[in-house]
Amino acid sequence: MSVAAYALVDCNNFYCSCERVFRPDLKDKPVVVLSNNDGCIISRSNEAKKLGVQMAAPYFKQKLFLKRNNVAVFSSNYALYGDLSARVMSSLRSFCPDMEIYSIDEAFLRLDGFSTRDLMGYAQKIRDTIYAWTGIPVSIGIAPTKTLAKIASHICKKTCASTGVFNMNAHWGDGAYIDNLLERTSVEDIWGIGRRSGKKLARYGITTARQLRDRDNFWVQKMLTRTGLQTVLEMRGVSCIALEEAPPKRRSIRSSRSFGKPVTRKEDAREAVVAYMVRAAEKLRREHLTATTISVFIKTSTHRPGDQHAEYASHTLPEPTNYTPLLVQHASEMLGKIFREKHQYQKVGVLLSGLESQHNQQGSLLSLTSKEVEEQLAAQSRLMHVTDTINKKFGRGTVQYAGEGLGQPWKMKQDNLSPRYTTKWGELCEVF
Amino acid sequence: MKQQTEFSENIAVQEGAGDMHASCVCAGFPSPADDYVEEALDLNRLLVHNAPATFFLRVKGDSMKGAGIHTDDILVVDRSVTPKHNSIIVAVLNGTLTVKRLWKKGNRIVLLAENPAHRPVDVTCMEEFEVWGVATSVIHSLRVNK
């Protein structure tokens, strides 16, 4: 019986593993990585997990505990993580072009056509190679469907730490074995079933994957919609979700952050909005898109005393654009309208939606506009191209918009940042 | 004064300007070179054979000056190359990264410096020894001042 073989390759404690690549002294030590603004813990090494460090717990609450236990603490170094992720994915591609990058640290591969033994051997080879080439350890879960591969990978992390590979296909004929695995998998750990659905299912006495798998289709579809039914079919070994070879088309671009310190002055909030809009517009151009709708939002912290205020303003442009000065102007005006004095704002952001390919824009506009407008659009496009090229060559922010502000007191807190070893010449790892 | 070797990004490769410089058609006459145009020389291709496995490290100290590796040089390190006897490798020794020549015969492994002030280190029985990668090139700037 020939069964499809989907493999989920999942980096172990990815951010922590990244921090270890250039810090061999941290190899068997407890390590944690903090979220934006050093807010909470988002990655823990196995040693940190053993110590009892909680995931998603606020950092300041655990600071003392971490210090006493000599846990190495790092702020998120996205430049490093993004680069190492690209290396892992690129290495994987050389093994199997049939792959889907699922997230920064996960990818699905299709490994049909191997015998069981060869499959194990191949998966092991993939694992060893990724570690040799990039320094990142990965776990591989193999199963007949993507949903089961995710479960297999989860099991692998818990029980197969030494081999790093778990092949569910090898046991597929053994009903009792599979039943047991799914019995020990909580319903919330199933891909596509979140906490809310989990709670709903619990009300009907369904808490394990096995129980859900064994419910009839009609009931499942009623409770969890067609997507839920697909998930259940996948758990039975029927592949319904194929590899997505191209990433889904972008629907919106968002740029926002929480502030390091609460912002009360309109000028500071405006600077932040301008800076985020500049960033979002750069993304827009990089993906050759234009936007029609701009949104700006602002909100106070629910944890802090004082009046609460959260507001969101939207504006649709007559023509799609990716011209930064225009986007910035609108964003700045909108902020002016929704900002309220005497509030402690914790977060501000911009959203660009109604995205279209920029080639569509040029096509339709050229037929309707006058020569002056055409020239102006061409000039705008050249200005953006030059700005982007300079920023790319000399570093982001080389050419800045005055509205972004020079001091930027609202900038994100990152007190424990490691060097950008792989993206900055001035921050290379030293060797003696 | 600290000297560092700086390189701007290889814009040509990234922007697809590996486009050949064709002759300008509007001039009317094709260039005799048109049939022979080749890509410009690219340092990335020369120095990096397996991009995902290649890293750049900054050399500190002169333990390998005899091999032409000096302080502030950039070491091109490939983690996918198998280290052999006499390779220059980057190794993990007691938690730090070090660049040394690998001496490997039979079961014995020794790390050799290329500077009389540094003694060889026998790592045959050392648990804290691991190869991090193999150095394939070193980039040394000849600029006098920054």
Side-chain angles (χ1 to χ4, degrees):
Chain A
M1 178 183 80
S2 148
V3 153
Y6 283 91
L8 176 68
V9 178
D10 187 342
C11 302
N12 299 348
N13 311 320
F14 184 57
Y15 294 169
C16 290
S17 295
C18 288
E19 296 291 350
R20 280 178 165 166
V21 174
F22 295 94
R23 290 286 306 273
D25 59 307
L26 294 176
K27 188 168 174 193
D28 295 312
K29 307 272 193 328
V31 178
V32 300
V33 174
L34 307 176
S35 63
N36 279 337
N37 260 328
D38 290 355
C40 50
I41 292 171
I42 52 171
S43 184
R44 303 161 295 166
S45 73
N46 290 339
E47 299 75 11
K49 286 179 188 169
K50 276 211 191 88
L51 279 175
V53 178
Q54 296 297 312
M55 184 66 142
Y59 172 48
F60 74 92
K61 280 195 176 155
Q62 300 199 68
K63 208 165 170 175
L64 199 53
F65 176 79
L66 295 171
K67 195 158 179 210
R68 270 203 227 114
N69 285 278
N70 290 320
V71 180
V73 178
F74 292 97
S75 305
S76 295
N77 184 345
Y78 291 113
L80 180 65
Y81 309 154
D83 180 80
L84 289 173
S85 171
R87 288 166 184 265
V88 169
M89 299 308 170
S90 179
S91 308
L92 277 176
R93 208 172 262 115
S94 64
F95 277 97
C96 177
D98 214 356
M99 85 179 245
E100 172 196 336
I101 296 175
Y102 181 67
S103 70
I104 198 175
D105 65 348
E106 291 163 289
F108 285 104
L109 307 180
R110 256 201 99 147
L111 299 174
D112 294 0
F114 283 89
S115 73
T116 303
R117 198 185 52 185
D118 293 343
L119 193 50
M120 258 322 251
Y122 197 62
Q124 223 112 47
K125 183 154 178 247
I126 292 178
R127 194 169 173 268
D128 295 341
T129 305
I130 305 281
Y131 184 72
W133 290 11
T134 66
I136 302 289
V138 305
S139 297
I140 303 186
I142 303 171
T145 64
K146 279 166 79 171
T147 305
L148 285 172
K150 266 236 167 201
I151 291 176
S153 156
H154 196 59
I155 293 172
C156 180
K157 287 198 168 159
K158 288 210 166 127
T159 63
C160 305
S162 48
T163 56
V165 181
F166 178 61
N167 182 4
M168 203 186 272
N169 280 7
H171 306 276
W172 195 245
D174 185 347
Y177 186 92
I178 303 289
D179 286 349
N180 190 335
L181 287 182
L182 294 181
E183 182 67 40
R184 291 185 292 148
T185 302
S186 136
V187 105
E188 282 174 19
D189 285 339
I190 303 172
W191 188 37
I193 311 279
R195 231 168 353 138
R196 243 189 340 174
S197 298
K199 284 203 180 114
K200 190 164 148 191
L201 291 169
R203 285 204 286 273
Y204 290 86
I206 300 196
T207 52
T208 71
R210 180 186 176 176
Q211 288 168 326
L212 182 60
R213 180 201 63 178
D214 294 342
R215 287 305 303 239
D216 64 277
N217 295 3
F218 183 70
W219 187 89
V220 171
Q221 179 150 8
K222 200 170 65 148
M223 279 295 122
L224 302 172
T225 80
R226 202 166 146 267
T227 320
L229 180 59
Q230 275 191 336
T231 299
V232 169
L233 288 173
E234 286 237 319
M235 281 204 287
R236 295 185 197 148
V238 179
S239 175
C240 311
I241 307 173
L243 279 192
E244 275 174 55
E245 264 123 40
K249 260 203 334 217
R250 254 203 195 280
R251 300 231 301 271
S252 65
I253 290 179
R254 163 196 255 257
S255 179
S256 70
R257 290 281 160 76
S258 293
F259 296 129
K261 290 192 298 227
V263 163
T264 49
R265 297 185 342 140
K266 194 193 259 194
E267 300 75 62
D268 290 337
R270 200 193 293 268
E271 271 182 19
V273 166
V274 169
Y276 297 147
M277 185 52 94
V278 167
R279 187 76 63 84
E282 279 172 2
K283 263 191 232 180
L284 203 54
R285 286 193 298 279
R286 208 168 33 233
E287 301 193 23
H288 307 289
L289 299 167
T290 53
T292 333
T293 307
I294 309 173
S295 307
V296 172
F297 60 88
I298 189 164
K299 95 190 222 328
T300 51
S301 165
T302 45
H303 299 300
R304 285 185 175 271
D307 296 331
Q308 296 297 323
H309 176 222
E311 197 167 332
Y312 164 81
S314 236
H315 178 74
T316 302
L317 301 166
E319 298 288 2
T321 184
N322 57 21
Y323 186 54
T324 303
L326 182 65
L327 293 169
V328 159
Q329 185 192 342
H330 283 287
S332 181
E333 274 168 21
M334 287 193 281
L335 178 80
K337 293 201 184 116
I338 60 178
F339 188 88
R340 287 189 196 160
E341 297 294 337
K342 298 208 182 67
H343 279 77
Q344 304 216 354
Y345 288 106
Q346 181 222 23
K347 187 168 181 165
V348 106
V350 303
L351 189 78
L352 292 171
S353 48
L355 306 186
E356 278 174 25
S357 164
Q358 76 184 27
H359 305 296
N360 292 348
Q361 174 205 31
Q362 283 160 1
S364 60
L365 279 183
L366 284 172
S367 53
L368 301 172
T369 56
S370 68
K371 195 159 194 305
E372 289 77 30
V373 174
E374 266 177 52
E375 278 172 2
Q376 187 187 49
L377 283 175
Q380 286 177 0
S381 168
R382 278 197 303 275
L383 175 62
M384 290 298 95
H385 179 70
V386 168
T387 309
D388 288 341
T389 308
I390 295 177
N391 280 336
K392 194 171 169 190
K393 185 166 178 173
F394 296 99
R396 169 185 282 156
T398 302
V399 174
Q400 279 186 312
Y401 295 85
E404 284 182 82
L406 300 175
Q408 299 183 330
W410 44 265
K411 255 243 158 110
M412 190 166 76
K413 180 154 80 132
Q414 286 176 304
D415 291 336
N416 304 71
L417 206 49
S418 54
R420 289 165 291 183
Y421 300 107
T422 57
T423 53
K424 286 274 173 262
W425 291 112
E427 295 178 34
L428 298 185
C429 181
E430 295 179 349
V431 58
F432 295 88
Chain B
M1 186 173 319
K2 250 208 233 180
Q3 283 180 35
Q4 290 192 352
T5 315
E6 302 290 341
F7 292 87
S8 55
E9 286 174 61
N10 192 336
I11 302 279
V13 172
Q14 277 158 8
E15 301 206 322
D19 293 344
M20 313 189 201
H21 290 291
S23 59
C24 179
V25 175
C26 57
F29 290 100
S31 154
D34 280 347
D35 290 339
Y36 301 92
V37 169
E38 293 180 1
E39 282 174 23
L41 291 175
D42 179 353
L43 273 179
N44 258 312
R45 290 259 192 88
L46 179 70
L47 301 177
V48 178
H49 296 119
N50 188 0
T54 304
F55 294 90
F56 301 119
L57 301 183
R58 179 78 63 186
V59 178
K60 288 291 175 196
D62 54 5
S63 65
M64 293 295 282
K65 67 180 186 191
I69 299 173
H70 300 91
T71 266
D72 289 334
D73 286 353
I74 293 176
L75 209 58
V76 180
V77 183
D78 190 331
R79 289 178 59 114
S80 63
V81 172
T82 310
K84 299 192 293 218
H85 174 71
N86 265 340
S87 298
I88 295 187
I89 62 166
V90 171
V92 177
L93 202 55
N94 298 321
T96 48
L97 294 179
T98 183
V99 51
K100 296 288 174 287
R101 194 178 289 281
L102 181 70
W103 189 99
K104 185 172 169 199
K105 285 241 168 91
N107 281 336
R108 277 190 79 204
I109 303 178
V110 180
L111 297 182
L112 301 171
E114 297 240 355
N115 177 333
H118 292 251
R119 270 134 103 250
V121 182
D122 190 323
V123 294
T124 314
C125 304
M126 257 198 218
E127 269 186 46
E128 317 80 60
F129 163 76
E130 198 183 296
V131 175
W132 196 91
V134 174
T136 54
S137 310
V138 60
I139 303 169
H140 177 83
S141 169
L142 298 173
R143 293 240 189 95
V144 174
N145 280 317
K146 208 164 73 96

